[in-house]
Amino acid sequence: MTGPNQRPPGDGVPPSDPTVAWWERPGDGAGQNPAQADPTVLRGNIGAPGPYTAPPAPYQSGANPQPYIPPPGPYQSGANPQPFAQPQQFAQPQQFAQPQAGAYQAPRPQWGAPPRPPSSGNKAVWWIVGGTIVAVGVLVIGLIAFTANKVEDNPFGPDPDKWAGSYVFKDGKNACDLVDLTVLNQWASTRETTTHTERGPSEYIGGGSYDCDAKNKESGRNANEASLGLEVEFKTESESESDYSRWKGYDTKTTGKDYDHGAVSGLGTEAYYASEQRIYGSIPNDYSIVVAAHDSNISVKVEIEVSTMRTVDKAAMRTAAETQVRKVLAALKK
């Protein structure tokens, strides 16, 4: 171990020089003294020769150590730190120079609304709009024609041939005028009630009907009564069974001692009769007769009912009913 003024071994400096400390002596491998170097080769601007001063080490030990000064960085510490530089403003975009005459110019994209089509396109649109309006108008007219009241003037309406025939409903005709109600006077002479109903045909399905009900009654106890009922039904397009067939099925379904029924010839295409007698002892006896006929597009039914204490001629009742059916057919014939 060496002292502060002792020469380390191998430094080549006489240890007897008291003015030079050992740490100020050049170490092994130190080169030529810079003061003795060629000024044209190394540090030519050095002036008068002097002693060599080595650069300070990062940390020097000894009597007067120097603190380590870190190199300046992005943030400078010390007496006068420098603030961060303000960001630069972006430069304004430069305007493109106008192309010189004769130079090639690339096509520029067009911005904004597209150009208007030629005027001929507008004419085509108006033609389309006009055609649409005309088509709608024709459709409306067709619908009005379809719902017109006169079927014969409407080619799109229902076909009346599906329900038409040899007989026709007559507007303004009173149903009770189709028969002779005086026929009731032979059993009871005083008219008590008369009602009638007329329903015209539908222009789409045909049909139509007449109904009449009349009643005669005498005064006094156990007085005689007589009534007549008329039903007339015209054929409809939708019917699968005539009214005549329904009537016949109901009027002839009951048989027995007090019931009778059978066919009637010479009255329409088909006809029948059905009779019934009800006896109650001390109260008046009830007799009823029904005659119905079917011909072409019409069904007619007449029913006569008599309540009396006297004996009733059933054949006369049947003849009176048949006569009224013939009268109706004649009145509604085309």
Side-chain angles (χ1 to χ4, degrees), residues 55-61 66-69:
Y59 183 82
Q60 297 180 0
S61 61
Q66 299 294 327
Y68 172 73
I69 300 176

Side-chain angles (χ1 to χ4, degrees), residues 16 30 64 87 96 127 136-137 153 155 166 203 216 222 283 322 326:
S16 60
N64 298 313
F96 292 100
W127 273 107
V136 172
D153 296 334
S166 301
E203 66 176 297
N216 288 7
N222 297 329
I283 62 176
E322 291 181 6
R326 296 179 190 277

Side-chain angles (χ1 to χ4, degrees), residues 272-322:
Y272 72 90
Y273 77 92
S275 63
E276 179 183 359
Q277 180 180 359
R278 295 185 295 273
I279 301 175
Y280 303 104
S282 62
I283 62 176
N285 297 327
D286 290 343
Y287 301 88
S288 66
I289 182 74
V290 172
V291 176
H294 178 259
D295 191 24
S296 185
N297 62 328
I298 195 172
S299 298
V300 181
K301 177 181 178 179
V302 172
E303 180 177 7
I304 296 176
E305 184 174 357
V306 176
S307 297
T308 181
M309 293 293 293
R310 300 188 301 265
T311 303
V312 176
D313 186 353
K314 298 179 183 178
M317 290 180 62
R318 174 180 168 180
T319 299
E322 291 181 6

Side-chain angles (χ1 to χ4, degrees), residues 148-155 157-158 160 203:
N149 292 328
K150 294 183 178 181
V151 177
E152 61 272 15
D153 296 334
N154 182 12
E203 66 176 297

Side-chain angles (χ1 to χ4, degrees), residues 158-165 201-207 235-237 297:
D159 186 5
D161 293 338
K162 295 181 179 180
W163 62 80
S202 168
E203 66 176 297
Y204 298 105
I205 62 173
K235 180 181 178 181
T236 63
E237 179 185 4
N297 62 328

Side-chain angles (χ1 to χ4, degrees), residues 11-289:
D11 58 358
V13 179
S16 60
D17 189 353
T19 61
V20 180
W22 69 268
W23 61 79
E24 296 178 348
R25 302 172 183 268
D28 294 338
Q32 184 181 6
N33 191 334
Q36 300 175 357
D38 187 355
T40 61
V41 176
L42 178 65
R43 297 174 63 108
N45 57 348
I46 297 177
Y52 169 74
T53 301
Y59 183 82
Q60 297 180 0
S61 61
N64 298 313
Q66 299 294 327
Y68 172 73
I69 300 176
Y75 178 82
Q76 298 179 358
S77 62
N80 297 313
Q82 300 294 329
F84 290 103
Q86 295 295 330
Q88 298 181 359
Q89 299 293 332
F90 291 100
Q92 296 294 331
Q94 298 181 1
Q95 299 292 334
F96 292 100
Q98 296 295 330
Q100 298 180 1
Y104 170 75
Q105 301 181 14
R108 297 183 180 178
Q110 299 293 330
W111 306 101
R116 295 180 58 185
S119 59
S120 58
N122 294 334
K123 294 181 179 179
V125 172
W126 281 111
W127 273 107
I128 295 174
V129 174
T132 304
I133 295 175
V134 172
V136 172
V138 172
L139 179 61
V140 172
I141 294 175
L143 292 175
I144 294 175
F146 181 78
T147 56
N149 292 328
K150 294 183 178 181
V151 177
E152 61 272 15
D153 296 334
N154 182 12
F156 303 102
D159 186 5
D161 293 338
K162 295 181 179 180
W163 62 80
S166 301
Y167 300 87
V168 63
F169 181 91
K170 296 182 179 181
D171 294 329
K173 194 74 166 178
N174 188 315
C176 291
D177 292 339
L178 298 175
V179 292
D180 182 7
L181 297 179
T182 61
V183 70
L184 297 177
N185 294 340
Q186 57 185 306
W187 299 288
S189 58
T190 304
R191 178 65 51 80
E192 185 178 53
T193 59
T194 303
T195 60
H196 60 90
T197 304
E198 299 81 20
R199 298 181 182 88
S202 168
E203 66 176 297
Y204 298 105
I205 62 173
S209 65
Y210 293 99
D211 293 280
C212 174
D213 290 286
K215 180 180 179 181
N216 288 7
K217 183 178 181 180
E218 295 177 349
S219 59
R221 186 179 179 181
N222 297 329
N224 296 332
E225 295 181 7
S227 62
L228 183 149
L230 169 67
E231 292 183 60
V232 178
E233 297 289 342
F234 289 90
K235 180 181 178 181
T236 63
E237 179 185 4
S238 59
E239 75 177 24
S240 58
E241 181 184 19
S242 66
D243 293 277
Y244 170 85
S245 297
R246 293 189 294 102
W247 296 335
K248 184 178 180 180
Y250 178 81
D251 294 334
T252 62
K253 68 179 180 179
T254 305
T255 59
K257 177 183 177 182
D258 299 325
Y259 298 90
D260 187 23
H261 60 81
V264 177
S265 60
L267 187 61
T269 55
E270 55 181 335
Y272 72 90
Y273 77 92
S275 63
E276 179 183 359
Q277 180 180 359
R278 295 185 295 273
I279 301 175
Y280 303 104
S282 62
I283 62 176
N285 297 327
D286 290 343
Y287 301 88
S288 66
I289 182 74

